[in-house]
Structure formats: structure tokens, C-alpha cells
Amino acid sequence: WATMAQFTTWFGNAPYLIYGIQLLPLTPIAENRDANQAWLREMYQPLAQSCAADTGCTLQGWSVLQLAIMASIGNVDTAMQLAQEIPDVAFDSAGGNGHSMTNTLHYFATRPKVAEPMDLPDIFVVDPPKEDYSPSFDCGSPQTCTPDVLATMAAGYTCEDRISWLMNWQGMDMAGACDRVGRAEFPTECGGCVVPETAVAAATNGSA
């Protein structure tokens, strides 16, 4: 144990978590750390690949830190543009809590000039669903919670992504996640994926 080194954190093994925790907080003192361009450039590609492969990176606010590195290695304009696509929920989550859109844009805009900006690598992204793709859940409403509804965009993410994130990252069961997204947060886009009242009543009665 005395000589063991592990690439992990106590709250998760995704690379964007491991890199991200080293980049907090985004304050003026971070410029002392970020003066080491070699360190930033070495970590950027694996950080960006990990973030692009998991919607939880953006929804939990960790992409703020990825974009901060993008700006710090000389790609301020691109980082500013992508930052404006970060959903509001990210700033209330683990990686984004303590930031705000205003603070994020100000930080990016004030990065020191880089003589030779790093060329951004091709970033791995999750393959789009195939035509015969079938979601793993239908919220108990197969007639209304169709693949088309689950694929509907709701503030930058699909209904399926948002429901899956609540189940995978917030520990919610399917009924609670579907109800929150379909009824409370995005009824227009995801309303077809609300769990039927009869199912909720049966579950309630069964647990009484």
C-alpha cells in the first residue's frame, strides 16, 4: 500500500472526475498553476475524450473545467461558444456548484494570451443510436414514451439522457426520474414519459 498509486477518486472512476478535481476552483490563483502549459496540454485530450463520452460530465458541471483548460491552452473563442451551451442544471451539480455562467465566461475571457494555441484534437463522441436502437426503459408508458419522445431534445439533452442521468447519478428509481423530467422539468418535450397514475397508485398501495 505504501507505494501504490491509483487513478481514481472516492466518488467515481471516470477520468473527467479525476482530472476535474485537480482543476477546482477557477479563481485568479489558478493562473499560477496553468502557467505550466505542458501539464495542461498533456491532460486536455484524455479529459475531453472522457467528457465527450458521458453526458454526466456536462450535466454535473465538470465540462466547465474542461472548457477552462481549452481556453487556457489558447482556444478562448471556442470555449466561450461551447460554454453558452452548458445547461443551467450543471451549475447546481457536483462539478459546477460554485461556478456560474457569468463567472465561467469571465474566467475564459481573461485567460492570458498563448503564443501558440494548441490544436484541438478530434474528440471521441458516443456513436449516434442506430436506426433499430431501442431505449432500455419506457417509463411504464410504452404508448406515449416512445423512442421518438425519448430522443426529443430538452435544453440540450434528450429526454432519455436526462432520465438516465437521474437514475445513474442521483440514485433515483425509474418512476421518480421519469416523473421529474416528464412532469416537473420538461412537460412539453418529455411529457409522454410520465409514469401512469395507476402505476404510481399501485406502487404506493403495495408499499403501504
Side-chain angles (χ1 to χ4, degrees), residues 13-208:
N13 295 325
Y16 65 80
L17 298 174
I18 300 163
Y19 288 117
I21 199 65
Q22 300 180 65
L23 299 172
L24 289 169
L26 296 182
T27 60
I29 195 63
E31 290 183 9
N32 289 346
R33 174 201 67 200
D34 295 347
N36 185 349
Q37 282 280 309
W39 182 68
L40 296 180
R41 291 168 187 244
E42 180 181 358
M43 80 155 60
Y44 180 75
Q45 184 163 351
L47 169 58
Q49 287 176 335
S50 174
C51 201
D54 186 347
T55 55
C57 178
T58 298
L59 290 173
Q60 285 201 324
W62 295 100
S63 66
V64 172
L65 302 164
Q66 178 216 330
L67 297 180
I69 298 304
M70 180 188 290
S72 297
I73 56 178
N75 295 277
V76 173
D77 290 343
T78 302
M80 293 278 284
Q81 180 181 354
L82 293 174
Q84 295 178 66
E85 300 175 6
I86 297 173
D88 291 343
V89 68
F91 296 105
D92 294 323
S93 302
N97 187 19
H99 303 302
S100 67
M101 181 62 78
T102 301
N103 175 71
T104 296
L105 294 175
H106 178 268
Y107 185 86
F108 294 0
T110 55
R111 292 311 80 217
K113 267 299 194 198
V114 174
E116 296 182 10
M118 178 178 169
D119 292 333
L120 296 180
D122 293 332
I123 299 304
F124 170 83
V125 294
V126 178
D127 290 334
K130 297 179 173 60
E131 290 185 4
D132 60 352
Y133 169 74
S134 178
S136 59
F137 56 84
D138 58 19
C139 295
S141 305
Q143 300 303 314
T144 58
C145 191
T146 62
D148 285 344
V149 172
L150 285 165
T152 299
M153 299 301 292
Y157 295 89
T158 67
C159 298
E160 181 181 6
D161 284 341
R162 290 187 173 280
I163 294 168
S164 295
W165 181 76
L166 289 173
M167 291 192 292
N168 295 333
W169 291 91
Q170 299 296 311
M172 297 181 70
D173 60 19
M174 184 189 72
C178 292
D179 195 67
R180 176 168 167 178
V181 173
R183 190 187 307 276
E185 296 182 339
F186 300 98
T188 301
E189 300 89 342
C190 311
C193 292
V194 172
V195 175
E197 295 292 342
T198 52
V200 174
T204 302
N205 293 334
S207 62

